[in-house]
Every structure is written in C-alpha cells, then in structure tokens.
Amino acid sequence: MPLFGPLGRRPAGTMLTAFTVLITAWLSPAAATPASDSPTPADTTSDVWRVAPPETKKDQLTADVALDDSTGALSLTVRRGADPVLPDSPLGLRTRDADLTRGLELLDRADRRVVERYEMTTGKQRRVRSPMTESRFALRGEGGVRMDLVVRVARDGVAFRYELPDSAGTVVTGEATGYRLPAGAPAWLLPHTSWYEEVRARTTAGGAPAGDYGYPALFELAAGSANEYVLLTESGMDSTYPGSKLAHTAAGDNGGGAYDVALAEAEVVSPGDLATPWRTAIVGDLAAVTESTLVSDLAPDAEFADTSWIRPGTVSWSWLVEHDSPRDFERQKDYVDYAAAHGWEYTLVDEGWSREWVPELVRYARARGVDILLWFRWWEVDTPEEMDGVFGELNDWGVKGVKVDFMNNGGGEPEGVGRHAWYEDVLAATAEHRLLVNFHGATLPKGLQRTWPHLMTYEAVRGHEYYSFDQPLTPTYNTMLPFTRNVVGSADVTPGTFSMTNRTHTDAHELALPVVYESGLQHPADSPETYARLPEAERVLDQLPTVWDETRYLGGRPGDDAVLARRAGERWFVGGIHAGAAGETEVDLGRLGADDDERLLVELVTDEADGADGADGADGADGLVRESRTVAGDAELTVPVAGNGGFVALVCPAERGRTTCDAPVRTTPATALAVTPATATAEPGDEIEVTGRFAAADGESATLRDVRLGARPRAGWTASGDDAARPVLRPGQALSGSWTVRVPESAEPGYADVPVVAEYRAPGAGRAEPPVHVEQAVRVLVAPPVPRGEAHVGDLHLLTATNGWGPVEVDTSVGEDGAGDGAPLTIGGTTYDKGLGAHAPSRVTVYLGGACSAFTAQVGVDDEVGDQGSVSFRVLGDGTELAATGTLRGADGAQPVTADVAGVDVLTLEVADGGDGISYDHADWADAKVSCA
C-alpha cells in the first residue's frame, strides 16, 4: 500500500502529532498588563511578559517579551535567572500591505505546556522527551492586521515564530528579527554560502567582518557567575517560507554585535495562513549545546509511522581516494567485499556508475548482506515524473538509498521556497519507494530528519572531500564542528580517511572523528587496502554503531578540544580530538551514569608515543595502540594526547570473565544460486522456461532458516509455478524450482532482467531484521526489428546507451550534460549530418540480428573541445572485438573505422578515455552505419 497519494506538500500551519503530547491550559485573555511573574521592566515605557519553562528550578531560562509603549515595537530578551543572556532582540514582520514591526497592540496572551515525545532513526538521541512552555501573543498592527508571536521556552533554549492567521493571503517583504550580542563576545562563525562548506572561524560578535553568516552561529556570553553559549539557527522549515541567514554590519569590538535575519528571497507570497520557521536559540553551557535536541523538538512530527525498513549504517565508499573508481564495476566489488567481511551495511557508488552493471552489482552485494546506495545530481530527479521513474527503477534493481547532490546550484534560489518544495517532494517520493536519503550540496538540517525518518544525513559542511582539493581540514576546524554544525543534525563529513598525506592530525584524531561526528550513514572514506594496514582502526570501525541512545559532552572547547560520549545499548563510545601541542585530557566517566560501585571495562586506543608530532600514520602504517583498564564507575581517566591527536575509548560493564567490549562482527554466509538459462532472446508473447537451484557455498557450515526460492519478474511479466520453500536448509542441502515466464505482449524492445530470488534468515538474525536476499537473473533481450539496407546506427533502437557525462546524443555532439544540448558533429573541420555524440567512457549497443555484413564510421574528438580530449574507440560483435583505434586527440582529424559484422546479433560501440582522465573527452561516431540484407 502506498505511504502517500500524489506528491504534494502539507498546507501551511498543519502539523502531525502522532508522537506529540500537548497538555494545554489556555489562560484568561486579560493579558494586556505584565504577567505576575514578570520582572520589573528596566524601561518603564514598555510592557513586559515573561515566558518560563515548565520545569521550575534555580537559574532557569526565561524569555521576556516587551512591547514599547511609545513605538509599539516588540523585542525579546532571554535570561538565565535575573541575568540577560540574549538581550533586546527586535521582532516583527513587514508585508506589502502592513508594517508589523511598529505600532503593535497586544490583544491576548494564551499559554500552554507542550511535551514533545518522539523517536528518531538518526541523531544524538533515539528517544526524546522535551517539555516546553508555549505562549501565544495575539497582536494587532497597521490597518488592523493580526500577527501572532509564538514563543517557546525549553530547558535548552528559546524559539519563536510569527503567524499570520485568518489571512486571505499576504506578501512578506522582510523581518525585523535580529539578535543584539555583546561586541566582544567570542564567536565561531561561518561565512554564508548556500552549501554551507566555508571554513568556520573564531572571531568576536563585533569584530567579525561585515557580511552574511550561515547557521548555526555560536557565541560565548558572560552571564552571572558562569559563561553561557548561544547557538543561533532555524527549525521547522517547509516550502511556504524561504531559508534565512544572519546579516552583520561590522562595528568593531567597541561597537555593536548586531545580527539581523535576512531572508533568501525578497518576497514571500502566501495564499493564506502563514507560519514562519522557528527562530531558534540553543542556550546553556557546552554540555547543554552539544546535547540539545531543540531543532528536532520544534520540527513537525514524522510523516509516517512504519520505520521498520529504515536501517542506518556504515558505508564503504571509494570516490574520495579513487575518483574514477565508481566507473569500475570490478573495483566496486572490492568495496562490497570489504563491507561484507566487516559487517558494514552499505556500499555507496558515487559519480560514474553505469546502468549497465549496477543491477549486477546490487545482486552481488545483497547476496553478501550488503546493500547499495547510488549518487545522483538533483536535476535528474527534478519532477514527480522523474522521481517516480528513477526511484521505481531503483526499487526494481534492489537499491536501498540515494545520495542527491548539488542542490546549491542548478537554477533557482537554493534556500528559496521552490527548492524547499523540491526537498519535500523528493522526501515524499523516496519514502513512497522506501529509499534512504543523503543530501549533499545541500542546505543545513532544520528538523527534517524528525519529519522524514528516512533522511539519514546531510553534507552542508566542509568535509573530507576537501583533502582531495588540497584544502585539508585543520585540527582547529575539526574541534569546532561538534559544537556548531553537528549540533543541529547529522553531518556527512566522511571521516576515517587515513591515507591523505596532507593531513596535519594524527591517526587517533582521525579515528575519533566518526565518534565525535554523528551521521545516520557514516562513510569511512578510505580503501580496503589502507584499512587492512591499520588493524586497530579497523577494529574500532567494525564496532562503531550509527544509531545512538544518548550523547554526553565530556569536555572541550571549540577550536581546542572536543570529547563526546555516545551510547548504543550497554556500550559507550568515547571520542576525543585535540588541536595543539601534546598533553593530557581528563575524562570524567561519572558523566556516563554508572553507579560509584560499578566496575567498568575501558578499552583505550591512542597514538603511539612517536606519533606526537602529527600524522605519522598518514602513509598507512599502524600508528595506534590499544590498552585495557578496569575502573570504578565514577573514575576520571587521564588520557595522553599527542600533538593534534586524539583517542577512542570503548566502555562497558566489567562483567566476570569479560575481556573486551567488542561484539562479534556478523557476516553473511556464502551461498550459491544457479539460474538457467543465463540469457535469452524473445519476442512479445513468448514463454521462457527458467530453473533455479540454491544452496550454501561449498565449505560453508551455516544452517539457513525460513528459506524461500521463486521467480520475481517485473511488472507486466508473469511467472507460473510455485515458490520452493524449506524451514531449514543445512550444509550440503539444496532448494530447487522451475517456472514458466511469459513476455507481455506490450513489452518494449530492449533488455529486461527476470530475477530468481532466494531469501533466508541468517544465523543469529532477529525476527525484525530483513532476510538476506540472494538474486540472479535471466537476461532477456526483447528483440527490435532487424535493420534493412543501409541504416544509420542513430536511427536504430539503442538497446543501451551509457556515457561518462550527459546522455549519448543522436546526430549531434554530446555538448554539455543535458539532453539535446549538442552542436553539429564536427571532426577536423568536417561536419557530419548523422552519427552519435558520446563522452568517454561510453557504451552503445544495437540489435543486428545477424542480418548485416559491414559497419563503417568516421571517429574522433569533436571540434567543440578544441585540441583537448583523448579517446579510443572499439567495435565489438557479440562481445568479441572486431575493430579498434589507438588514442585519438583533439588535434587529430577523423579516422575511418570498418568492421565485418556478418552473423553478429548485438553490435557494441565503446569509447574509452586516453589514460589521462575524462575531461573534454567528447567522442563522435560520425556517419556510423551498417550495411544489411
């Protein structure tokens, strides 16, 4: 049953509350005077109303809303006890018809207690309970226009938003919202870009250069006897309102620290009621900031309840250290094999994958207990029709998730309502097709991971890919992220990259990053060969979960150190990273909650002593050591830390006989599924006899349970014959079946796979775990008509057509990456009317059916790239090479290619790069034709 109907978005202002408990107590409308618990206003010309949290305690957070009697302007002050933390923040909206920043009059105030209860599939805490007080201030402004200010106060921060209720429609032209910070307050700020990948730097609120800054923005403020930190961001985004940023006019440390909310679009057109995102301030010490769930607390509840199909996990990924490897089927199998051997859940195939071999890779991986994720450009799934087609095909292949990239460009405002509408549409479509999502080149997390539980992670961070651009991440930068970017949602930094020689931090620092940085999909970004040379790192990565029950701050300060602990079940994983000279770190295990008389087993991984000066292990040598300690539950560990170093600790109860916190690494038994025939050629209406035999592989000792074997043809194809099933399949036993598969009369020419699937429960698997899926397929060619006479290849039905960049073009050059954007085919100054425009690596197949005798073409690099580019051409008949060229370059003219194709059923035209990368490799098969009977 579909999870959703047609793609669409929620009406403005609606919120699902499946996991939200609202305890409401509406107060008397007589709220035009200060509330009884309000402080005496410092400015007696203002009315002030206090919003206090539901859990009363000493030095609690409160929010004071003030309305200036003389101007009718609103402001908000956040206090810790009696001390202002975030003072005099201006509030209000401007619309095309009314200025709602001045001349406001309070009509009513209503309060309620809100308790958010929900479960996350990702994040720093799986189960969340967050009590808040909400106050709604109903205001009347210019022309009698109504505006509500809604304020929420929680134990870890304050948030507010504006609502325009009972509106026949409006156009917002801006906000008066801003924050007034002490000029000398230390600040950790990110210059704003739509992809949030600039370098965050330490400055001061007043000393930061004039300009725009991205969320989250962290400030350190003096408040009473202890310092407070304020992290500014936004939450509860939807497609009715654009994103925003912080605009700062520099005034110097002795001037002002004013930061105003600037919208990404000049106008916001709303057809009816309007609710803005929550302007969010997380407030407290560094423990409160790093452990906060306020961003997801403020977000709408989950759009669907069944999350059983959502599986976060560890992902093998080749692109960072081998940019061309996603084009290489055999190399991707190496990454699958590594994931399978180490119990990792996924392999991500990044830019360059081919439709020709991905289905086979998926089958190869799933038989080994590994699922495949695929990379896409966002404009490849830009419309509902594209989403349904692409994601439906991924379901047919068995792909389990998508990494979607470059939302920061491709037309339109990347933080505008149109792009946010696309985010909602693609999340609805991927949920419909049960695909996990990883957003890259994207906006910042703003609560959508609660609303859409299959959204595993975002980039929106300068991650490890910058090493390959020769812009290494510094240890100082690394220690800022846990207190800033990663507070508001999962961050796909892709840590665990040991082979980068431009690294300036140690192996233990690098190993700690997947603990310190939370991500629902964690991508250790190095090669199997590198990890094999780092056994201690490998051991930690094999144990590391990506779903956490809770997170605790244990120490550090942005730019200097970060020590975080994350719990999964009974085990705590502690990660510490350091910037600066060698020293020692004190780790208070008492914060993990164990009783004083409880004994804990601690397994500590640090840098070798000679690694104190930097990344001695960057060449792949093992620079890590492990030691075990048994300590009291409230012990303070003194951990030696190398220069720019770090550490990882696994902590678990020290039970009798227990020598390690490691859990066994579960791997999938080796099996064999044989299917006949391997290939077939058929016409619409034909029937194909298919058989399958499934058994454990030779030498495998595992017993398989709940085994089922059957044919699973795609929609429109049918299979007669029952599934074969056995409750237990022991070593040496086999399960066999046979089926008659019928090709539908409506089948289009081309290749179609008829899968035969075996599913079983692996040893040790729980009932809630998905079965292991083993699949082989009969490759069926539904034959198009054979060509007659002299036929241009571009006029025939292309059975397959893959390209290294953009689509294969017919009768034009490849041009750019869009369909139909090529120019006339031109080689060496000669223009050709007919042919194919390709880009290395490329592969095109057409059906000849044994009816043709000769193939001819003029080949070369298209003139549109000048003297650049280098390619080679091959012609194959039924898989056998018939003709080939050497390397041709942009300065070369056209070269003739001929081949004898007598008796050939399938003709294949391949283009390879010249060995120097694929840039500018625009290859033309000009005047390509076959001579047939």
Side-chain angles (χ1 to χ4, degrees):
M1 173 179 288
L3 295 171
F4 306 96
L7 292 179
R9 295 175 288 280
R10 292 190 309 279
T14 63
M15 181 182 294
L16 297 180
T17 57
F19 302 108
T20 304
V21 177
L22 300 179
I23 304 172
T24 307
W26 296 101
L27 302 185
S28 164
T33 58
S36 60
D37 63 346
S38 297
T40 301
D43 180 356
T44 57
T45 63
S46 298
D47 289 328
V48 180
W49 298 272
R50 171 155 293 182
V51 186
E55 299 175 345
T56 303
K57 62 179 183 178
K58 183 181 179 182
D59 294 333
Q60 65 186 6
L61 277 182
T62 58
D64 292 344
V65 176
L67 183 62
D68 188 287
D69 289 341
S70 61
T71 64
L74 274 176
S75 64
L76 181 143
T77 294
V78 177
R79 297 179 184 275
R80 173 74 68 187
D83 298 314
V85 175
L86 195 60
D88 301 325
S89 297
L91 306 175
L93 288 177
R94 300 181 185 90
T95 74
R96 187 179 290 174
D97 300 321
D99 183 354
L100 302 176
T101 68
R102 304 173 63 81
L104 296 170
E105 174 190 358
L106 182 68
L107 301 176
D108 189 16
R109 171 182 175 176
D111 295 342
R112 65 175 180 169
R113 185 172 186 259
V114 178
V115 180
E116 297 287 341
R117 302 178 190 268
Y118 58 97
E119 292 193 17
M120 296 286 288
T121 57
T122 61
K124 64 189 75 171
Q125 184 174 334
R126 189 198 298 251
R127 293 179 178 85
V128 180
R129 179 187 179 276
S130 180
M132 292 181 275
T133 296
E134 178 184 286
S135 292
R136 178 180 294 270
F137 298 90
L139 301 149
R140 180 168 56 205
E142 182 182 355
V145 174
R146 166 86 176 270
M147 179 184 77
D148 287 1
L149 171 69
V150 184
V151 179
R152 286 189 177 182
V153 178
R155 55 194 166 204
D156 54 352
V158 173
F160 59 90
R161 71 178 180 187
Y162 310 104
E163 297 183 9
L164 299 179
D166 305 322
S167 172
T170 190
V171 178
V172 174
T173 58
E175 295 187 18
T177 311
Y179 305 99
R180 302 298 177 251
L181 298 145
W188 292 265
L189 299 180
L190 177 76
H192 178 265
T193 64
S194 61
W195 55 98
Y196 296 88
E197 295 180 23
E198 294 302 306
V199 176
R200 189 177 296 271
R202 177 173 175 171
T203 178
T204 61
D212 293 336
Y213 292 91
Y215 300 121
L218 181 66
F219 301 88
E220 183 180 8
L221 309 174
S225 60
N227 283 9
E228 295 274 355
Y229 289 80
V230 174
L231 189 76
L232 300 178
T233 189
E234 59 186 353
S235 179
M237 292 292 304
D238 65 27
S239 58
T240 62
Y241 208 81
S244 67
K245 55 195 172 185
L246 295 175
H248 174 54
T249 301
D253 282 354
N254 295 320
Y259 289 79
D260 294 317
V261 171
L263 301 183
E265 293 180 307
E267 292 189 340
V268 185
V269 180
S270 174
D273 295 354
L274 178 68
T276 72
W278 292 99
R279 305 293 169 222
T280 305
I282 299 171
V283 182
D285 59 17
L286 286 176
V289 170
T290 54
E291 296 171 16
S292 173
T293 60
L294 188 58
V295 169
S296 57
D297 296 344
L298 295 166
D301 218 333
E303 286 279 2
F304 55 89
D306 179 13
T307 60
S308 61
W309 55 276
I310 298 171
R311 184 172 65 145
T314 303
V315 188
S316 65
W317 178 51
S318 68
W319 179 87
L320 181 56
V321 293
E322 305 171 18
H323 282 357
D324 290 335
S325 62
R327 306 178 188 280
D328 186 338
F329 171 61
E330 293 299 327
R331 185 56 172 158
Q332 292 307 300
K333 287 167 65 176
D334 292 339
Y335 279 81
V336 168
D337 290 343
Y338 186 83
H342 292 269
W344 296 6
E345 289 82 359
Y346 298 101
T347 293
L348 167 64
V349 190
D350 214 285
E351 179 183 12
W353 59 267
S354 170
R355 296 180 74 258
E356 287 200 349
W357 51 256
V358 159
E360 184 179 349
L361 181 68
V362 172
R363 289 191 285 268
Y364 180 87
R366 295 182 78 182
R368 289 155 176 79
V370 177
D371 283 314
I372 295 296
L373 312 173
L374 289 182
W375 176 91
F376 285 89
R377 303 171 186 89
W378 81 271
W379 52 86
E380 296 173 310
V381 286
D382 188 21
T383 66
E385 294 76 19
E386 288 175 337
M387 293 176 199
D388 190 55
V390 170
F391 298 153
E393 185 172 50
L394 299 189
N395 286 161
D396 289 343
W397 293 348
V399 171
K400 294 301 181 183
V402 291
K403 173 182 176 180
V404 191
D405 210 344
F406 300 131
M407 282 77 75
N408 57 290
N409 59 27
E413 167 53 55
E415 287 278 11
V417 295
R419 191 58 50 82
H420 282 288
W422 176 86
Y423 280 114
E424 293 173 6
D425 283 349
V426 81
L427 286 167
T430 48
E432 180 80 24
H433 291 279
R434 297 198 163 195
L435 296 168
L436 305 182
V437 177
N438 174 0
F439 282 142
H440 263 236
T443 186
L444 193 74
K446 299 174 183 180
L448 279 180
Q449 286 185 274
R450 175 184 176 185
T451 308
W452 297 98
H454 64 304
L455 175 51
M456 294 287 95
T457 191
Y458 292 74
E459 188 180 30
V461 69
R462 178 171 289 233
H464 278 44
E465 69 178 10
Y466 279 82
Y467 285 109
S468 65
F469 310 148
D470 201 24
Q471 299 178 55
L473 310 184
T474 67
T476 297
Y477 170 84
N478 289 346
T479 62
M480 293 181 187
L481 294 185
F483 306 106
T484 53
R485 164 64 182 85
N486 212 189
V487 171
V488 300
S490 294
D492 191 18
V493 186
T494 69
T497 312
F498 296 92
S499 62
M500 291 297 180
T501 56
N502 51 353
R503 212 169 21 99
T504 58
H505 57 262
T506 69
D507 283 354
H509 184 121
E510 184 68 22
L511 182 61
L513 295 179
V515 182
V516 174
Y517 300 154
E518 183 277 323
S519 181
L521 295 174
Q522 196 69 268
H523 295 77
D526 223 319
S527 68
E529 294 80 8
T530 295
Y531 289 132
R533 295 193 296 269
L534 288 163
E536 290 298 345
E538 195 172 53
R539 182 174 170 184
V540 170
L541 293 174
D542 289 355
Q543 294 296 313
L544 195 61
T546 59
V547 178
W548 302 106
D549 294 307
E550 59 181 313
T551 294
R552 299 281 175 88
Y553 163 85
L554 299 187
R557 175 180 167 83
D560 298 328
D561 304 271
V563 183
L564 271 72
R566 304 189 192 273
R567 181 177 66 83
E570 68 169 6
R571 298 191 297 172
W572 285 93
F573 292 76
V574 182
I577 56 176
H578 172 67
E584 293 180 338
T585 295
E586 299 296 326
V587 179
D588 181 5
L589 296 182
R591 290 218 71 225
L592 305 184
D595 294 333
D596 294 352
D597 58 354
E598 186 175 352
R599 303 294 289 171
L600 300 176
L601 176 61
V602 179
E603 295 185 85
L604 184 65
V605 181
T606 59
D607 292 296
E608 287 184 331
D610 61 358
D613 295 325
D616 288 358
D619 61 355
D622 191 346
L624 301 169
V625 293
R626 176 183 292 253
E627 63 169 300
S628 294
R629 307 178 188 176
T630 300
V631 299
D634 61 349
E636 288 200 9
L637 294 183
T638 299
V639 180
V641 180
N644 294 332
F647 66 92
V648 173
L650 275 67
V651 183
C652 61
E655 299 168 346
R656 183 181 297 275
R658 189 174 203 169
T659 59
T660 180
C661 294
D662 288 355
V665 175
R666 279 181 47 193
T667 58
T668 299
T671 57
L673 174 58
V675 175
T676 57
T679 62
T681 300
E683 296 183 359
D686 284 354
E687 291 185 341
I688 305 166
E689 297 300 321
V690 175
T691 64
R693 182 181 185 276
F694 176 70
D698 291 343
E700 180 61 61
S701 61
T703 295
L704 313 181
R705 301 187 181 277
D706 300 333
V707 186
R708 183 170 292 274
L709 177 68
R712 302 288 185 266
R714 304 308 185 205
W717 295 57
T718 59
S720 59
D722 294 333
D723 285 0
R726 295 186 66 164
V728 175
L729 193 66
R730 293 185 171 84
Q733 296 178 330
L735 185 63
S736 299
S738 60
W739 307 270
T740 300
V741 175
R742 189 174 186 276
V743 183
E745 296 286 353
S746 60
E748 295 291 332
Y751 288 105
D753 285 344
V754 177
V756 175
V757 173
E759 291 191 327
Y760 67 92
R761 295 202 175 278
R767 284 287 171 184
E769 294 185 46
V772 178
H773 179 105
V774 182
E775 178 180 312
Q776 294 294 338
V778 179
R779 184 76 160 160
V780 179
L781 171 59
V782 180
V786 297
R788 302 294 183 185
E790 188 171 79
H792 286 277
V793 170
D795 295 336
L796 302 179
H797 181 90
L798 304 186
L799 298 174
T800 62
T802 61
N803 239 16
W805 180 253
V808 173
E809 300 282 5
V810 175
D811 299 336
T812 70
S813 69
V814 74
E816 297 299 331
D817 65 343
D821 61 4
L825 296 162
T826 307
I827 309 173
T830 301
T831 299
Y832 301 85
D833 293 332
K834 305 290 288 183
L836 300 175
H839 191 296
S842 175
R843 191 169 188 268
V844 175
T845 59
V846 294
Y847 184 66
L848 304 184
C852 304
S853 57
F855 167 82
T856 61
Q858 299 289 322
V859 300
V861 177
D862 195 276
D863 286 354
E864 67 189 356
V865 296
D867 61 356
Q868 302 182 90
S870 60
V871 296
S872 60
F873 296 80
R874 291 177 76 210
V875 180
L876 299 94
D878 295 332
T880 300
E881 183 177 296
L882 305 177
T885 70
T887 299
L888 304 180
R889 303 185 183 278
D892 300 332
Q895 178 172 322
V897 171
T898 62
D900 181 352
V901 296
V904 169
D905 285 327
V906 177
L907 176 69
T908 302
L909 306 180
E910 288 186 350
V911 179
D913 76 86
D916 56 357
I918 67 170
S919 297
Y920 306 103
D921 285 353
H922 294 213
D924 292 347
W925 295 92
D927 201 25
K929 54 191 174 184
V930 288
S931 299
C932 309

